[in-house]
Amino acid sequence: MGENGAAKHCYPAAMEVTSVEFGHTAGSKCYDDDGRLKRTGTMWTASAHIITAVIGSGVLSLAWAIAQLGWVAGPAVMLLFSFVTYYTSALLADCYRSGDPCTGKRNYTYMDAVNANLSGIKVQICGFLQYANIVGVAIGYTIAASISMLAIKKANCFHVEGHGDPCSISSTPYMIIFGVAEIFFSQIPDFDQISWLSILASIMSFTYSSIGLGLGVVQVISNKGIQGSLTGISVGAVTPLDKVWRSLQAFGDIAFAYSYSLILIEIQDTIRAPPPSESKVMRRATVVSVAVTTLFYMLCGCMGYAAFGDDAPGNLLTGFGFYEPFWLLDIANAAIVVHLVGAYQVYCQPLFAFVEKWAQQRWPESRYITGEVDVPLSPSGRCYKVNLFRLTWRTAFVVATTVVSMLLPFFNDVVGLLGALGFWPLTVYFPVEMYIVQKKVPRWSTRWVCLQLLSVACLIITVASAAGSVAGIISDLKVYKPFVTTY
């Protein structure tokens, strides 16, 4: 039963229980100090969740992002974002418990942590930003998965018909296929039970990243040299204004590639009880996952730029910088789809849990919301318990995000906008503010000033990146027809 596998031996119900209600004592074999079933997550399972969330579709746009910035600024910006992400994630990890890092009150979600440390209107603002960003990521992943499925079809078409054939195909049917798959997987009840999906998705992310890297190396050898320039795509190939917008959008793409702070607390809540403290384990998991992702990002992004220079496609494996071997492209894009199925669930589980918890508190007597229906799985009597509210609400969510994806299938621009909107408030501002409160950092002290300067600098980057992505979306909308445009 995922990371909380002890549940089937200790208590058969799927609902949360407290030690007071059932007489369990803190530190028992089956229950943690808060009365919940024993958490069994480790640094490795936490790292798998993070890698699943981080090494997503964003890695495929990095060659394009570096092409806008060049050999100097591109890798430098990537290293900057990796450092900021690690540092602020470490600050956020310290906010999982209020007070003592081993025995303090747990904050189960990002919003709980904000409520415990900041309270007031900031809690509502955080909740809106977090869950709006999750919806945006769901839309972005649906777009990316459909483009990868479409790329498999196009790669086979190019192989048979030749590279000169347009092989134009609509992405709409593939979005529907991905949506149907997510309706099925969204019925996994909670975060604790998707560790197997995260591990599978992590393996897939390494698979397609390695293939992209390998193809880039082969292309560089074929070109007999490294493409690109120190400053990226030159003015002349694009207008000066386009150069500015594209550079700003590249910042957003790189920010999106590192975005996972909005689900960090939820991942940390799967880690087993101290010793060592959950914050120490999460810090180690963050070091491992950010180091691994940065290495892959550098290799894939830089090798893609080295292979194609200023002509690097917006999506390395679906933009058809590569055509052959077509079967290897098919494997890579299939791995992307499998990874995004898992990444979609990792991101959406906190939103699912929030809505369902709110509904149970609002209508505790409703059988539709709290009751379960037994669905027979085999003649031997095995059953799967289906909650009708979970079934209908999660299905409606997947359908809604799929429809919006059909209306806005702009991979690079959507990725850049999501990265920009989520980066400053969720990755920087709230972790910094909570850390200042929790550690009682004196106002105007050196540490306080440095933290505030970091926050302001990241705010400027966020605003600029969002402006660049909006400009790109406006440009795309001028030639786009909903449900009709093909790739």
Side-chain angles (χ1 to χ4, degrees), residues 85-97 107 109-111 113-114 117 260-266 268 279 282-283 426-428 430-432 434-435 438:
T85 299
Y86 163 70
Y87 182 70
T88 57
S89 295
L91 300 184
L92 186 56
D94 286 342
C95 299
Y96 173 66
R97 286 185 184 263
N107 297 306
T109 67
Y110 196 119
M111 275 187 70
V114 174
N117 291 283
Y260 77 96
S261 296
L262 71 166
I263 56 171
L264 183 144
I265 296 291
E266 285 81 353
Q268 193 168 346
S279 62
M282 197 64 192
R283 282 169 177 261
L426 298 173
T427 302
V428 181
F430 283 113
V432 164
M434 287 191 288
Y435 180 82
Q438 180 138 331

Side-chain angles (χ1 to χ4, degrees), residues 228-261:
S229 65
L230 294 179
T231 57
I233 191 167
S234 60
V235 174
V238 296
T239 66
L241 185 60
D242 280 342
K243 170 69 174 178
V244 172
W245 290 133
R246 283 168 169 247
S247 298
L248 295 178
Q249 186 184 331
F251 274 76
D253 283 4
I254 296 172
F256 178 79
Y258 280 102
S259 176
Y260 77 96
S261 296

Side-chain angles (χ1 to χ4, degrees), residues 111-320:
M111 275 187 70
D112 288 344
V114 174
N115 188 45
N117 291 283
L118 302 178
S119 68
I121 189 64
K122 291 181 180 180
V123 179
Q124 284 72 41
I125 294 173
C126 170
F128 172 78
L129 291 171
Q130 181 187 12
Y131 298 127
N133 206 260
I134 288 173
V135 173
V137 168
I139 294 168
Y141 280 0
T142 302
I143 294 170
S146 70
I147 292 176
S148 290
M149 287 187 278
L150 183 147
I152 295 173
K153 182 76 172 176
K154 291 191 72 169
N156 296 335
C157 175
F158 287 135
H159 180 72
V160 174
E161 304 295 337
H163 300 170
D165 193 293
C167 293
S168 295
I169 307 169
S170 172
S171 62
T172 299
Y174 299 98
M175 290 186 186
I176 294 173
I177 292 170
F178 183 78
V180 170
E182 290 302 343
I183 287 174
F184 173 77
F185 283 104
S186 68
Q187 297 310 309
I188 298 174
D190 54 53
F191 219 130
D192 290 331
Q193 298 174 31
I194 63 171
S195 58
W196 64 273
L197 189 58
S198 284
I199 292 170
L200 175 62
S202 297
I203 294 171
M204 292 298 103
S205 68
F206 288 123
T207 299
Y208 67 73
S209 297
S210 299
I211 291 174
L213 173 62
L215 290 173
V217 171
V218 170
Q219 186 68 38
V220 169
I221 294 172
S222 176
N223 293 340
K224 297 180 180 179
I226 292 175
Q227 304 293 308
S229 65
L230 294 179
T231 57
I233 191 167
S234 60
V235 174
V238 296
T239 66
L241 185 60
D242 280 342
K243 170 69 174 178
V244 172
W245 290 133
R246 283 168 169 247
S247 298
L248 295 178
Q249 186 184 331
F251 274 76
D253 283 4
I254 296 172
F256 178 79
Y258 280 102
S259 176
Y260 77 96
S261 296
L262 71 166
I263 56 171
L264 183 144
I265 296 291
E266 285 81 353
I267 292 174
Q268 193 168 346
D269 191 44
T270 66
I271 295 173
R272 65 167 62 114
S277 68
E278 296 92 349
S279 62
K280 285 186 178 180
V281 176
M282 197 64 192
R283 282 169 177 261
R284 293 171 190 165
T286 299
V287 169
V288 170
S289 54
V290 171
V292 168
T293 54
T294 300
L295 175 63
F296 265 79
Y297 285 176
M298 282 291 187
L299 290 173
C300 292
C302 293
M303 194 54 65
Y305 184 44
F308 299 108
D310 294 347
D311 295 324
N315 187 315
L316 191 60
L317 292 174
T318 65
F320 289 96

Side-chain angles (χ1 to χ4, degrees), residues 372-436:
E372 294 180 329
V373 176
D374 289 336
V375 177
L377 296 179
S378 66
S380 63
R382 292 186 61 189
C383 292
Y384 176 74
K385 293 185 180 297
V386 175
N387 176 271
L388 293 178
F389 177 69
R390 182 173 68 222
L391 176 64
T392 53
W393 130 249
R394 295 190 182 190
T395 299
F397 174 84
V398 174
V399 170
T401 56
T402 302
V403 170
V404 174
S405 301
M406 294 176 190
L407 295 171
L408 291 172
F410 315 130
F411 175 75
N412 261 67
D413 298 320
V414 170
V415 162
L417 184 60
L418 291 174
L421 293 179
F423 176 70
W424 176 71
L426 298 173
T427 302
V428 181
Y429 175 74
F430 283 113
V432 164
E433 292 300 310
M434 287 191 288
Y435 180 82
I436 288 172

